[in-house]
Every structure is written in structure tokens, then in C-alpha cells.
Amino acid sequence: MKKRVLVFDSGVGGLSVYSEVKKHNPDIVSFYMFDNQLFPYGNKSEAEIINRVNKLMTSFVKRYQVDLIVIACNTASTIVLDDLRSNLSIPIVGVVPAIKPAVKITKNKIVGLLATPATVARKYTHGLIEDFAKDVKVLSIGTPNLASIAEKKMSGKDFSINEIAQELKPWLDLSINEQPDTIVLGCTHFPHLRTEIQNLFPNATLVDSGNAIGIRVNNLLKDSKSIEKTDIDTEQNEAFCTSLVKLDSNLENTFKKNGFDEILEFKI
Ligand code: DGL
């Protein structure tokens, strides 16, 4: 029987991770859940996110027997992984800012961390910087709006490069020598804006965690025994939002392109 993987995010950001998971694991049955009811996570309290993600994941696992979960959200992963791992017995893969690989790439020793305000403020993120980026300068932007711009793009709505430039202004205002030559896309929404961000920083290398996560999932699935499953008569991929009322219907096309024919509602 095929292994069943759930990829979770607050919105469409996790699709950037999902495509890498699918690329490295073409034979899985895929579930994708996004918490559009509470989007964006980047301005929510830690307690609210911990509570919410725990509830969603534990009730999902009870209903849809899955072998592995990917928390494809830096804002959540930087605080919920310990709790989730103690509550659930399946492997949980988190996505956190790719500081370590960026430090290996930078030549001018200036790394930019682009993430939500919450991720930039997290103790976990400060720990990553202390542990792996001691010898480089790390400039951070905690942007509250970039994830929403990515949502607009992914649902085919208008957005402008100026909106994105506004969010990146602190680095655009620097002279070229002071700008980061390596930028960590520390929010899973941002790879959807890779072209636009690259246009604003044509010489920078943009780094995200997607490919590494795809490989990690492959290793874990290879090593894990398939969980005992009952009453499963479908191998169909399923996508779930947490609020159909709030769902932008244009997103359905984006999900179709990713192999999810419809978007259902998941209620705790
Ligand atoms: N995609 C999420 C992340 O990786 C955050 C977007 C949001 O603010 O909800 O951090």
C-alpha cells in the first residue's frame, strides 16, 4: 500500500514544499491542508498557533490515517514540533529557515533572512543564527505582507512588483556592497515570489528548504514501516482548507495543477 503524507501550512505556501516532496516521492498518496481560517500565522501569538496546529493535526490523523506529516510552515515549525512529536507517533518533518546552507554559500559574508515577523522573532531562529551563522552578518526582515502577496499571485489576482519592493526596502536602500549576497526564503510562501525577489536582487542567491525536505521525507518513508490502515479504499489525493466560506475559489485551479481535484473543508 502507498505511503500517505500530509503537508500542512496556513495557506498556499506549503505547495512550494509539496512540489519538492512529490518530486522526491512520486508514489505517495498526498494530503494538503491549509488553515485559511486563521491565515496569516505570521501575526498570531505562539500559544494560539501551538494550540491550533496541535488540534488540527491530531484530529486529522485520527480521521485519515497518514504515515508522515510535513509542517510546511516556518512560523509554525519554529514552535510546534516538540509538542506534535510528543502527541503523535508518526514522523513529523518541520520546515525552518535555511540559515545553515546559506552560510555555506555566502561570499560577502552577509546573509539576508526574509521571513514572517513571528519567525524572525523566534528563539528557535535566534538559536539557528547563533549556532550556524556566528561568522557572518545576518540581516533580517520580518515582513507581515509578503505571504499575502504570494496568496494573491497564486490565486491569479493582480499584484505589483512595487508592493514587494516596499517590503524589501530596508535591503534595497543599502549600497550593493552592504546588501546580502545570499537570501534565505524563510517562509514557504516566498518561493512563489522567487522571480520577483530575484529581479529586485539580481546578484543574490535565493535559498529555501524545499529540496532538502523532499529528500528528508524520502529517507524517512524508506525507513518507516507503513502504519496499519483500515477501510481505505481510495488512493486519491485530497486538499483541505479550514474555511470554505473564506476560500478564494480561484485557488481551485492552482490546486488542480498540483494534482488536487477539489478543496474540501476540514473541521476539528
Ligand atoms: N507559510 C508560512 C511560513 O512558512 C507563513 C505564512 C503566514 O504568515 O501564515 O512561515
Side-chain angles (χ1 to χ4, degrees), residues 173-232:
D173 284 348
L174 297 171
S175 72
I176 193 87
N177 294 332
E178 295 167 321
Q179 285 181 352
D181 70 351
T182 308
I183 297 176
V184 178
L185 303 179
C187 168
T188 55
H189 278 73
F190 302 167
H192 296 311
L193 300 173
R194 183 183 293 275
T195 313
E196 293 79 5
I197 297 170
Q198 189 76 76
N199 281 342
L200 293 168
F201 297 96
N203 301 318
T205 305
L206 308 185
V207 188
D208 69 78
S209 310
N211 184 51
I213 299 297
I215 295 170
R216 174 92 185 118
V217 169
N218 185 272
N219 288 332
L220 285 168
L221 289 181
K222 261 199 318 235
D223 293 346
S224 75
K225 252 188 33 209
S226 199
I227 61 152
E228 200 74 17
K229 299 181 186 84
T230 50
D231 297 338
I232 291 177

Side-chain angles (χ1 to χ4, degrees), residues 152-172:
K152 280 204 267 184
K153 179 177 178 184
M154 297 300 278
S155 53
K157 293 209 187 92
D158 285 343
F159 69 99
S160 75
I161 190 81
N162 287 341
E163 286 177 80
I164 297 172
Q166 197 52 42
E167 301 301 309
L168 302 177
K169 195 167 179 314
W171 296 344
L172 291 168

Side-chain angles (χ1 to χ4, degrees), residues 72 124 188 221 238 250:
Y124 186 97
T188 55
L221 289 181
E238 303 278 12
N250 294 323

Side-chain angles (χ1 to χ4, degrees), residues 32-205:
Y32 186 92
M33 192 208 289
F34 58 109
D35 190 6
N36 63 325
Q37 173 78 48
L38 207 68
F39 177 88
Y41 275 10
N43 61 8
K44 302 296 179 303
S45 74
E46 294 198 0
E48 192 173 7
I49 295 174
I50 292 172
N51 187 26
R52 177 79 171 170
V53 177
N54 266 299
K55 274 199 186 136
L56 284 171
M57 294 302 99
T58 43
S59 48
F60 191 88
V61 163
K62 275 189 199 135
R63 269 175 262 173
Y64 294 88
Q65 310 162 37
V66 294
D67 292 281
L68 183 147
I69 295 176
V70 181
I71 302 296
C73 174
N74 295 260
T75 309
S77 291
T78 44
I79 42 169
V80 302
L81 296 178
D82 289 345
D83 273 314
L84 276 181
R85 286 178 180 140
S86 61
N87 291 338
L88 299 170
S89 55
I90 55 171
I92 313 285
V93 178
V95 177
V96 298
I99 301 279
K100 197 177 167 185
V103 168
K104 290 192 183 134
I105 294 168
T106 181
K107 292 207 163 51
N108 74 353
K109 302 288 176 207
I110 308 174
V111 166
L113 169 62
L114 192 58
T116 64
T119 298
V120 166
R122 295 264 192 265
K123 227 162 82 185
Y124 186 97
T125 307
H126 294 162
L128 283 178
I129 294 170
E130 268 160 39
D131 290 348
F132 302 114
K134 270 214 175 70
D135 300 328
V136 309
K137 188 167 169 184
V138 178
L139 303 178
S140 299
I141 295 180
T143 155
N145 302 319
L146 219 46
S148 301
I149 298 173
E151 291 278 331
K152 280 204 267 184
K153 179 177 178 184
M154 297 300 278
S155 53
K157 293 209 187 92
D158 285 343
F159 69 99
S160 75
I161 190 81
N162 287 341
E163 286 177 80
I164 297 172
Q166 197 52 42
E167 301 301 309
L168 302 177
K169 195 167 179 314
W171 296 344
L172 291 168
D173 284 348
L174 297 171
S175 72
I176 193 87
N177 294 332
E178 295 167 321
Q179 285 181 352
D181 70 351
T182 308
I183 297 176
V184 178
L185 303 179
C187 168
T188 55
H189 278 73
F190 302 167
H192 296 311
L193 300 173
R194 183 183 293 275
T195 313
E196 293 79 5
I197 297 170
Q198 189 76 76
N199 281 342
L200 293 168
F201 297 96
N203 301 318
T205 305

